Amino acid sequence: MKAISTFLALVLVCAACYPTAGASGVAVGKPAPAFSLKDADGKTHSLADFKGKYVVLEWVNYECPFVKKHYDTANMQKLQKEFTAKGVVWLSINSSAPGKQGHFPPERINALMKEKGAAPTAYLIDSDGTVGKLYGAKTTPHMYIIDPQGNLIYMGAIDDKPSTEKADVETARNYVRAALEEALSGKPVSVVTTQPYGCSVKY
Amino acid sequence: MLVLIVLLLSAVVIAAPVKTPHVEAELVSEVRTFTASEPFWVAVRLRMKPQWHTYWINPGDSGLATKVEWDLPEGFRIGELLWPVPEKIVSGPLVTFGYFGEVFLLAKIVPPDELIVGNYKFSAKVNWLVCREECIPESAELALVLKGTREFALPDPKWKRPLGEAKLRLPASLPNWSVTASVIDDELLLNFSTPSKVGNLEGLIFYCEQSGIIDYAAEQKVSLSQSGFQLRLKRSQYAASLPEEIRGVLYNPAGWGQAVVALSVRGKLIQQAYAATSSPTGFRPIQQITSVWLAVLLAFLGGLILNLMPCVLPVLSIKVLGFVRRAEDGKAWKHGLVFTLGVLVSFWLLAGLLLLLRSGGEQLGWGFQLQSPSFLICLSMFLFLLGLSLFGVFEIGLSLGRFQNTGYSGYTSSFLSGALATVVATPCTGPFMGSALGYALLQPALTTLVVFTALALGMATPYLLLCSFPSLLKYVPKSGPWMESFKKLMGFLMMGTVVWLVWVLGLQAGMNAVAMQLAAFVVASLGVWIYGRWASILNESRVRLAASALAGLLVFSSLLGVLFFVRRDDVDARSEIQWQEYSPALVAQLLAARQPVFIDFTAAWCLSCQVNERVTFTSQEVIDELRKRNVTMVKADWTLRDDTITRALAEFGRSGVPLYVLYSGIPGDSPKILPEVITPSILIEELKKLK
């Protein structure tokens, strides 16, 4: 019964938000909308499965130069490893439509992740863009952090240097790291929303 | 040898469009050579492959703004990078702002005051993100070598025009508008107070320069308000806090008049949220006309006053003599009507032509025809010959100076004097008329015609009155031998007008053109003398025919000779005041530095401007006061067509010169518009009001 009502709510929210992603009900301090997506091995992951844990959502597109900046410098992998080791769930989500940049067949995904040394909890395939639009994801990367109660505590950019210059990773202030560190040590998150930057999500 | 190496090196650098896989990038300049302290425009030109785009200063939901890092020679300064209006690019739920095809990112370079002659290299490191579906970061190191000289700035024929057109795509400033921003719930409201009613607002787009302020995909709602209009924007989810000032560009697909497509917006954020009912805080210049009836009245008065202008008086006073003559055969009123018709028709023609050209996108204002050297050549030749005719050198059948004829050609003459009066009157735009015409030209065509009709009627009224009440004619002296003397006297006034027109021609086309014009006068006067001497009825027809043909040949060949010769050769006039050449950027820069600024919108062919300048700006008292208050004097010279100046005039609700504007330099103060007839005492009084 509960699953049905959640599904209905999801459909309603989606119908309302479809044309303008920004109009989605996603906001810091409010419950993060529920979703279920499959990974490259066909295994389904639901947000509800991770209740009681911090969850990071990372919109990803391996072919986007902004994403490359963070993977080629191992910045993203480092974050993934460091925080999954601390019990944080890290979900990389790809919302590229089939045929568009960043969309890969499942077998290619596992190879790519291995090649890059990516270490998320799961890489989720959102080919029809439902979850991307539900969250109003605009760019790759676009980051969201959800607390153990299921509320959104951060949304926006990965750091404060909107560029494709790899050297900027060194000097940038990483908002995701800062928010996770604050949250894990029981402090309130100081910067809760920032303007995301990157390539457009290829819906 | 060394010279050769330098030449080779510079040649290599000059021809330097850099090609990346998706973009051709190049640093271009409007000039090839430049002089000390004379600023010039350069631009980073990006030409994208079809379907690919680069981004605006605020890329929108995704993307990245193009970044330019300048490397200039020692002592050179560069203004901020100016971005043309972008395109709104919608892809699914996302909105970005950028450029397809070709874009020029403009900046103004100010050379040092002390310039050593030689080649200078200007470099720019440019980074951009170019996207179609996918995005590629690219970069290029661009360079440009220009020669610094003592003589003059030589325009680059290849880039002068493209850069001029690119400047038109830059947002214009709006000194008479006031903009405030306020927040209600999740909406950001921009309240625009406009000096006059705004036209079509359909399809209006506000491009916010700052990222993360508004939701780009959301609908922007426009509604008219008491003082202007209001724009309701949805706030971005990512707007954690708002800045004190909302900056952006307001794009109107229908244009803002005068070929301005976009306006630069700086809206102070008002913290309290109930701004919707607040009263207009916008500054309204007193001379700004908002009612059509006031414009009609002022146009009528202006028309009356035009009769006394030195360029109109000779033509019309002779006409009065014509009336004196008619009074005797009781046909005066008919001629009065025909004269009025002549004035009306030619005003309509002028207004119609002006509207037609403007609708074609030309930047023109009242008096535009005097910006054309060819027009000046023809008009001065015509008036010169008219003067000779007044002196009695010759008479022709349709001569306006001929009073002896009657009937058909008499009416033609009346009609033509009306037309001629209109044509010669335009440079003498009297007081009142500046605002009336400025208003008229921004209105729908019908209103424009009504205002111009009022102007024409004003001009013709004295004659209409004289004609309708022939009893008034008894106050006009009876005809007699004195008329011949009066005619000759008017001939001198006519020659005075010719001198003035030739002077304007000199300013526009240079000394050589003046010499050519004077030579043409000599040849043409030989022609009309031959005509006057041998083409009279006393001679046999063969002689008359030959004389007429020879005269026509001489007049027309001399005229054509000058027309073909004309070349521009700018000569600048010197005066005690150090004038700076007008540019919106210069004014903005001075105001940012809290400097008081005086702008003189003028033109060599504008007689009242010249009188004002001779009387007011040469006065020692005025000069002292200006120095004391450290006022920067800026001259916007409209002698030749200049779109930037036309646009600036429009912002003050004008379409002609003179216009005098004084900025106090205190932030928040509105510019003060001074009267068209400016005297030393008026100016000094205004200057004393400055802090």
Side-chain angles (χ1 to χ4, degrees):
Chain A
M1 185 61 211
K2 195 181 169 219
I4 291 171
S5 64
T6 310
F7 176 76
L8 277 178
L10 200 146
V11 167
L12 279 175
V13 169
C14 261
C17 78
Y18 179 74
T20 55
S24 65
V26 175
V28 168
K30 287 191 186 159
F35 64 86
S36 292
L37 286 172
K38 285 196 168 105
D39 66 15
D41 300 324
K43 192 176 168 230
T44 303
H45 301 263
S46 298
L47 184 60
D49 301 345
F50 305 114
K51 200 126 193 175
K53 287 183 174 173
Y54 283 101
V55 179
V56 175
L57 307 182
E58 172 214 353
W59 257 266
V60 72
N61 168 359
Y62 287 148
E63 290 182 320
C64 158
F66 292 90
V67 174
K68 279 184 184 163
K69 173 175 87 165
H70 292 286
Y71 277 94
D72 291 356
T73 55
N75 183 44
M76 196 66 89
Q77 297 92 317
K78 222 166 83 192
L79 279 175
Q80 290 166 349
K81 284 173 190 157
E82 186 180 329
F83 288 100
T84 47
K86 291 180 183 170
V88 173
V89 173
W90 191 292
L91 302 175
S92 298
I93 302 175
N94 177 269
S95 298
S96 294
K100 294 210 172 172
Q101 193 200 48
H103 178 84
F104 301 108
E107 62 278 10
R108 182 100 181 83
I109 291 170
N110 287 334
L112 272 172
M113 283 175 64
K114 205 169 166 196
E115 184 186 313
K116 289 181 185 296
T121 310
Y123 179 107
L124 304 177
I125 304 165
D126 178 37
S127 304
D128 55 4
T130 315
V131 179
K133 286 167 186 164
L134 177 63
Y135 274 80
K138 292 177 192 293
T139 63
T140 51
H142 192 163
M143 312 297 294
Y144 296 83
I145 306 176
I146 300 162
D147 71 6
Q149 289 75 48
N151 294 322
L152 204 61
I153 56 170
Y154 175 79
M155 61 178 197
I158 178 155
D159 64 27
D160 66 349
K161 287 263 166 76
S163 80
T164 56
E165 294 282 328
K166 296 188 174 103
D168 284 342
V169 169
E170 285 294 311
T171 52
R173 179 175 167 213
N174 195 305
Y175 293 127
V176 175
R177 171 183 293 281
L180 282 172
E181 280 172 357
E182 282 169 337
L184 287 174
S185 58
K187 289 184 209 148
V189 176
S190 47
V191 179
V192 295
T193 40
T194 57
Q195 171 76 18
Y197 74 85
C199 306
S200 57
V201 174
K202 311 301 178 197
Y203 290 117
Chain B
M1 187 57 204
L2 186 69
V3 174
L4 191 68
I5 290 171
V6 169
L7 274 178
L8 277 174
L9 278 177
S10 62
V12 168
V13 182
I14 287 173
V18 174
K19 285 198 176 141
T20 62
H22 303 91
V23 174
E24 181 185 294
E26 189 177 2
L27 191 57
V28 299
S29 159
E30 61 172 356
V31 295
R32 280 189 186 156
T33 66
F34 60 90
T35 57
S37 64
E38 201 178 326
F40 57 93
W41 288 91
V42 294
V44 171
R45 169 182 161 266
L46 300 178
R47 186 175 185 83
M48 281 63 81
K49 267 171 67 176
Q51 298 169 21
W52 289 77
H53 63 269
T54 54
Y55 290 97
W56 187 51
I57 187 169
N58 174 9
D61 283 331
S62 64
L64 196 62
T66 301
K67 208 165 84 188
V68 180
E69 286 168 61
W70 298 101
D71 184 11
L72 304 177
E74 182 90 17
F76 286 72
R77 285 179 293 131
I78 191 151
E80 65 170 319
L81 196 66
L82 301 179
W83 304 74
V85 185
E87 257 180 70
K88 182 175 173 180
I89 306 163
V90 181
S91 51
L94 302 181
V95 174
T96 54
F97 308 112
Y99 307 102
F100 288 93
E102 186 178 45
V103 64
F104 291 86
L105 307 177
L106 292 143
K108 199 175 218 178
I109 291 185
V110 186
D113 295 338
E114 303 288 331
L115 186 71
I116 301 160
V117 172
N119 284 344
Y120 289 87
K121 183 178 170 189
F122 304 89
S123 318
K125 187 172 187 301
V126 187
N127 289 283
W128 62 82
L129 186 74
V130 59
C131 300
R132 187 173 55 186
E133 185 68 42
E134 59 273 36
C135 297
I136 318 285
E138 293 181 343
S139 68
E141 309 233 1
L142 308 176
L144 172 72
V145 172
L146 300 172
K147 196 174 171 207
T149 70
R150 285 220 180 78
E151 292 85 31
F152 49 84
L154 192 68
D156 188 326
K158 187 172 175 199
W159 297 116
K160 177 103 181 127
R161 179 162 286 277
L163 288 193
E165 282 162 8
K167 279 185 231 167
L168 284 179
R169 298 281 302 167
L170 293 178
S173 59
L174 27 68
N176 285 343
W177 289 35
S178 79
V179 189
T180 56
S182 54
V183 173
I184 296 178
D185 300 331
D186 66 342
E187 280 188 326
L188 178 69
L189 309 183
L190 288 180
N191 290 296
F192 295 85
S193 292
T194 58
S196 56
K197 232 166 106 180
V198 286
N200 192 357
L201 293 178
E202 209 171 311
L204 203 69
I205 305 176
F206 177 71
Y207 295 104
C208 193
E209 281 173 25
Q210 298 137 306
S211 72
I213 306 284
I214 61 168
D215 186 331
Y216 310 115
E219 190 196 350
Q220 304 191 345
K221 295 164 209 149
V222 190
S223 55
L224 289 176
S225 68
Q226 224 171 10
S227 53
F229 60 96
Q230 187 185 59
L231 207 52
R232 284 165 60 200
L233 312 165
K234 189 166 182 295
R235 282 182 67 188
S236 161
Q237 288 175 284
Y238 298 96
S241 64
L242 286 171
E244 277 173 32
E245 191 179 67
I246 305 294
R247 296 198 306 271
V249 172
L250 193 60
Y251 171 75
N252 184 349
W256 294 106
Q258 304 275 358
V260 174
V261 289
L263 296 168
S264 174
V265 173
R266 298 285 179 267
K268 282 259 174 300
L269 190 68
I270 299 168
Q271 284 307 329
Q272 56 105 342
Y274 303 98
T277 53
S278 71
S279 60
T281 50
F283 168 75
R284 282 155 192 274
I286 299 151
Q287 285 106 325
Q288 195 79 44
I289 296 171
T290 47
S291 127
V292 60
W293 297 114
L294 192 60
V296 165
L297 181 71
L298 291 185
F300 185 82
L301 287 174
L304 273 178
I305 292 167
L306 268 185
N307 284 310
L308 300 176
M309 292 290 158
C311 28
V312 191
L313 196 62
V315 182
L316 292 191
S317 54
I318 291 160
K319 208 53 225 165
V320 177
L321 295 185
F323 290 138
V324 176
R325 173 94 192 160
R326 304 290 163 220
E328 289 158 17
D329 49 30
K331 282 185 184 164
W333 65 274
K334 283 187 192 163
H335 283 273
L337 279 181
V338 176
F339 172 82
T340 308
L341 197 66
V343 175
L344 267 174
V345 168
S346 39
F347 261 102
W348 288 337
L349 278 178
L350 264 178
L353 184 64
L354 190 53
L355 287 174
L356 201 70
L357 288 174
R358 287 160 63 103
S359 67
E362 299 265 9
Q363 292 279 331
L364 295 173
W366 191 240
F368 68 96
Q369 65 274 47
L370 290 161
Q371 289 168 338
S372 150
S374 311
F375 180 82
L376 285 172
I377 288 166
C378 295
L379 183 63
S380 64
M381 176 62 84
F382 181 66
L383 293 184
F384 176 75
L385 295 181
L386 208 58
L388 288 185
S389 159
L390 290 174
F391 287 143
V393 174
F394 74 105
E395 280 178 1
I396 49 173
L398 294 181
S399 161
L400 300 174
R402 183 170 175 175
F403 310 120
Q404 282 73 21
N405 53 16
T406 49
Y408 158 75
S409 62
Y411 288 119
T412 311
S413 153
S414 291
F415 186 85
L416 286 181
S417 4
L420 179 66
T422 309
V423 173
V424 294
T426 48
C428 298
T429 303
F432 307 121
M433 278 178 56
S435 356
L437 296 183
Y439 168 81
L441 288 172
L442 293 175
Q443 298 306 305
L446 188 68
T447 319
T448 311
L449 283 182
V450 169
V451 172
F452 273 88
T453 305
L455 185 63
L457 287 178
M459 191 157 145
T461 295
Y463 309 98
L464 266 181
L465 278 180
L466 272 178
C467 305
S468 317
F469 305 100
S471 56
L472 289 174
L473 276 173
K474 66 172 180 267
Y475 299 107
V476 180
K478 286 251 178 300
S479 65
W482 69 268
M483 276 176 61
E484 199 56 30
S485 315
F486 183 77
K487 206 172 100 175
K488 295 217 163 85
L489 194 65
M490 285 297 134
F492 287 99
L493 205 51
M494 195 61 88
M495 289 305 176
T497 311
V498 171
V499 169
W500 167 59
L501 286 174
V502 171
W503 176 69
V504 178
L505 177 66
L507 287 178
Q508 289 182 7
M511 258 333 281
N512 292 339
V514 170
M516 277 302 285
Q517 179 74 352
L518 294 179
F521 284 163
V522 175
V523 176
S525 50
L526 177 69
V528 296
W529 171 73
I530 290 173
Y531 180 87
R533 172 69 184 73
W534 282 287
S536 75
I537 309 165
L538 304 174
N539 291 72
E540 51 179 301
S541 65
R542 208 156 42 88
V543 176
R544 268 159 57 193
L545 193 69
S548 307
L550 185 57
L553 185 71
L554 286 172
V555 169
F556 283 102
S557 59
S558 65
L559 193 61
L560 288 178
V562 209
L563 286 174
F564 279 118
F565 182 77
V566 169
R567 259 192 227 138
R568 277 178 205 170
D569 182 9
D570 286 346
V571 180
D572 59 333
R574 304 240 172 258
S575 82
E576 275 269 354
I577 291 177
Q578 285 294 311
W579 292 97
Q580 307 249 36
E581 198 196 327
Y582 172 84
S583 79
L586 173 74
V587 175
Q589 213 175 331
L590 289 166
L591 292 178
R594 309 199 165 188
Q595 278 241 36
V597 181
F598 181 89
I599 310 177
D600 173 12
F601 291 88
T602 180
W605 41 260
C606 155
L607 198 58
S608 29
C609 306
Q610 296 306 323
V611 171
N612 284 337
E613 279 168 28
R614 295 292 170 276
V615 173
T616 307
F617 299 131
T618 53
S619 145
Q620 197 55 46
E621 269 179 272
V622 170
I623 293 169
D624 290 345
E625 195 69 27
L626 288 170
R627 290 230 173 98
K628 205 169 91 194
R629 310 210 171 256
N630 198 18
V631 178
T632 307
M633 300 295 281
V634 176
K635 185 173 272 186
D637 191 342
W638 207 45
T639 305
L640 286 173
R641 270 181 62 180
D642 186 320
D643 296 354
T644 317
I645 295 173
T646 309
R647 205 152 75 177
L649 284 169
E651 278 162 22
F652 289 102
R654 296 303 175 83
S655 76
V657 287
L659 170 66
Y660 304 104
V661 182
L662 183 63
Y663 287 89
S664 69
I666 299 163
D669 261 10
S670 302
K672 170 116 189 168
I673 294 176
L674 305 183
E676 271 106 318
V677 177
I678 193 169
T679 61
S681 56
I682 292 177
L683 185 53
I684 287 169
E685 204 182 305
E686 287 300 334
L687 289 172
K688 284 195 169 141
K689 285 185 200 159
L690 295 178
K691 291 275 158 25

